[in-house]
Amino acid sequence: MGSLRLLAIALLLAAPALAQTAKLGVGRPTTPEEIRKLDISIGPTGEELPVGRGTPAEGEKLFTQKGCVGCHGKAGVGGLAPQLQSKKGPEVPIWDRGHILPLNAPFATTVWDFIHRAMPLGNEGTLTADEVYSLTAYLLSVNKVIPEDAVLDKESLPKVKMPIGDDYARLPNWKPGMPRLQGYPY
């Protein structure tokens, strides 16, 4: 019985090494073009943004045409999915307006990136660059981040000043010996 246990342990320890050395003849290396197609991250500077453009008026039409209203409600309020427009105005501090992506995102490119990657639900990644610019413009416009006549594109989108400003990454005023978070008992 002891030798069987020893054999089982030896096999468990050797399995990873054997798995790494085996050539199974399955698959192929990923090409640089395939990697480029999957690298869809958009940073704060917008360098990775595609060519395209959109306005709030175009985005408002698309919001209905693409079925956004069905999940988020008319103008982004009242649906079962997360709210996209604050019911509270700019006189209310940003953190008290709710968890609303077009308000709480640190950069306008974050809003564009999320819509591009994750919408519409069940059909993610199917929107064209122009559609994403338009929907982003619409959501930023209804939240009074940009004017109704704004045009968003690769150049103008990264320049949008988001209402969250520097509060997004504000660090707490913490010193050794203080509780870790305000109201945290330990």
Side-chain angles (χ1 to χ4, degrees):
M1 187 72 136
S3 61
L4 282 176
R5 283 187 184 165
L6 190 57
L7 177 63
I9 291 171
L11 285 174
L12 282 173
L13 293 174
L18 290 173
Q20 291 176 6
T21 60
K23 298 278 186 190
L24 301 176
V26 177
R28 60 175 175 70
T30 307
T31 67
E33 176 64 19
E34 290 168 330
I35 292 172
R36 188 192 61 71
K37 282 182 180 177
L38 293 173
D39 184 15
I40 60 172
S41 297
I42 307 297
T45 62
E47 295 171 42
E48 308 87 353
L49 285 168
V51 174
R53 60 164 301 286
T55 66
E58 294 163 344
E60 184 176 15
K61 290 176 190 165
L62 284 169
F63 198 78
T64 302
Q65 290 172 356
K66 295 292 180 177
C68 309
V69 171
C71 295
H72 295 282
K74 186 173 180 169
V77 180
L80 296 175
Q83 198 168 290
L84 298 175
Q85 181 182 173
S86 178
K87 294 177 184 173
K88 300 173 183 172
E91 67 282 352
V92 177
I94 193 70
W95 289 110
D96 294 337
R97 293 192 222 166
H99 297 290
I100 299 181
L101 178 67
L103 291 175
N104 296 144
F107 309 102
T109 55
T110 304
V111 179
W112 194 99
D113 187 45
F114 184 81
I115 294 169
H116 179 241
R117 288 174 189 248
M119 293 293 128
L121 186 62
N123 235 350
E124 297 86 350
T126 59
L127 297 171
T128 67
D130 287 342
E131 290 171 334
V132 178
Y133 280 113
S134 297
L135 288 167
T136 302
Y138 173 62
L139 295 177
L140 292 175
S141 175
V142 296
N143 282 289
K144 311 281 188 271
V145 177
I146 62 171
E148 291 178 8
D149 62 348
V151 176
L152 292 184
D153 58 23
K154 181 180 177 135
E155 301 302 317
S156 62
L157 182 66
K159 294 176 185 169
V160 172
K161 175 128 176 67
M162 297 301 285
I164 199 82
D166 295 332
D167 276 352
Y168 186 78
R170 182 182 56 206
L171 297 174
N173 187 15
W174 183 88
K175 293 175 180 59
M178 291 175 61
R180 289 184 269 176
L181 298 170
Q182 188 176 14
Y184 192 75
Y186 306 107

